[in-house]
Amino acid sequence: MTTSLSSAATAPALQALKPSPRMPVMFVGHGSPMNAIEDNAWRRSWQAMGAELMARAVQPQLILCVSAHWLTRGGWQLTGMANPKTIHDFGGFPQALFDEQYPVPGAPAVARSLAKELKSPATGAALGVDEGEWGLDHGTWSVLKPMFPQARIPVMQLSMDYSRPPAEHYVLGQQLKALRERGVLIVGSGNIVHNLRASRRGSAANEAYDWATEFDTVVQEQIKKGQLGALQDFLKLGAVAQQAHPTHEHYLPLLYAAGAVLPSEMPRFFNTGYQSASISMRSVLWG
């Protein structure tokens, strides 16, 4: 059974989060926007993961997504609109991709509350609330729509202050840990390796540059060993980090997800391949 735009838009608004069993944390490699509509292995994996999570005894009250595609400077923000728009923040793709909509509700009251609870790692100030400018960019809806096509669970995005060092992004991720026991599914959406300048279209999922596999392997080992704090030091890898991330906005969402993980939680990897030889699609579920 699917939920229509009208029924999703008229559902009662989420006013407050309630205590719940601990929700999972996910980091999703989203890759090309076309993965949102193509029948490929990446999208089928997202569909299977969503079905698995929805089959659990308790479902999320809210999805909080940190996407590589919402960057702010001078502070962090939460989306606080009742009906966040579907943002098509890309160009040069077929019209079918621009026609995609993900009409999930937002949670304005919860956004205002969380903005006061969460503190900027840079200043200690409350976060900002965006009541109309942003919405859901493709880093969010391209993966959440295949996972949760009924569009019933409210979705909120958290921006990333790109002017701040990686350690502060990890610290804010640690603040998100407590939200998991209030019904919030934490999702980071980016890529462990992301270098569009070096992309080779048509490459198989097991084909990648040596520097791409080297960086992906280092990160994989840190995650497997539970060395999640070490992930914030990725720039110390030098040249290989620069090749893997000429700019690092696609890596930062991993730090938010990792910060929200408990030491006892074991990772489960999925989509462990590459797109266009220079994008790691490796994804992780904890909990």
Side-chain angles (χ1 to χ4, degrees):
M1 184 175 70
T2 59
T3 299
S4 67
L5 171 59
S6 59
S7 60
T10 57
L14 180 63
Q15 297 297 324
L17 299 172
K18 301 176 182 177
S20 77
R22 187 181 304 119
M23 291 290 117
V25 177
M26 230 184 324
F27 173 77
V28 183
H30 65 247
S32 168
M34 287 298 292
N35 294 328
I37 60 174
E38 290 182 340
D39 182 24
N40 58 30
W42 318 119
R43 185 170 180 270
R44 289 194 294 270
S45 178
W46 297 339
Q47 291 171 322
M49 179 59 71
E52 176 187 323
L53 294 177
M54 291 300 284
R56 295 190 179 189
V58 179
Q59 298 174 0
Q61 299 168 42
L62 174 73
I63 299 172
L64 178 62
C65 189
V66 184
S67 163
H69 296 282
W70 191 21
L71 305 180
T72 49
R73 288 186 178 272
W76 283 260
Q77 296 186 48
L78 290 164
T79 53
M81 57 286 294
N83 297 291
K85 61 187 175 184
T86 303
I87 303 174
H88 302 89
D89 51 329
F90 42 68
F93 291 98
Q95 184 59 42
L97 190 58
F98 291 90
D99 291 340
E100 284 288 292
Q101 296 291 319
Y102 191 45
V104 290
V110 177
R112 291 190 293 269
S113 175
L114 292 184
K116 296 175 183 177
E117 289 181 36
L118 301 171
K119 303 300 181 185
S120 163
T123 66
L127 305 191
V129 178
D130 173 10
E131 297 183 349
E133 185 175 339
W134 201 247
L136 305 180
D137 59 59
H138 82 269
T140 293
W141 65 259
S142 72
V143 297
L144 294 187
K145 185 173 182 180
M147 286 187 186
F148 309 106
Q150 293 184 327
R152 291 188 306 207
I153 304 172
V155 177
M156 183 185 304
Q157 278 200 217
L158 169 63
S159 77
M160 300 188 298
D161 186 343
Y162 194 64
S163 68
R164 306 308 304 171
E168 292 185 10
H169 297 273
Y170 183 72
V171 167
L172 186 47
Q174 290 179 308
Q175 294 183 46
L176 304 180
K177 193 179 302 182
L179 301 182
R180 297 176 57 194
E181 295 184 1
R182 293 164 61 192
V184 181
L185 170 65
I186 308 294
V187 179
S189 178
N191 291 99
I192 287 175
V193 174
H194 188 267
N195 186 336
L196 293 182
R197 303 170 194 172
S199 63
R200 294 199 308 246
R201 291 192 177 186
S203 298
N206 62 349
E207 295 177 343
Y209 293 97
D210 289 344
W211 48 262
T213 56
E214 179 181 350
F215 188 87
D216 182 78
T217 299
V218 169
V219 172
Q220 175 194 0
E221 286 302 310
Q222 289 173 334
I223 293 172
K224 284 171 63 175
K225 294 176 181 177
Q227 299 170 341
L228 301 183
L231 295 172
Q232 63 191 311
D233 298 323
F234 71 100
L235 292 174
K236 293 181 180 178
L237 294 174
V240 69
Q242 186 60 41
Q243 288 177 300
H245 294 280
T247 58
H248 53 262
E249 72 278 359
H250 274 75
Y251 183 86
L252 293 178
L254 174 63
L255 300 183
Y256 290 82
V261 174
L262 295 173
S264 60
E265 293 181 299
M266 298 298 294
R268 176 176 143 202
F269 296 105
F270 61 102
N271 279 354
T272 55
Y274 298 86
Q275 196 161 36
S276 302
S278 65
I279 300 173
S280 170
M281 296 294 287
R282 180 180 299 279
S283 303
V284 197
L285 177 75
W286 291 271

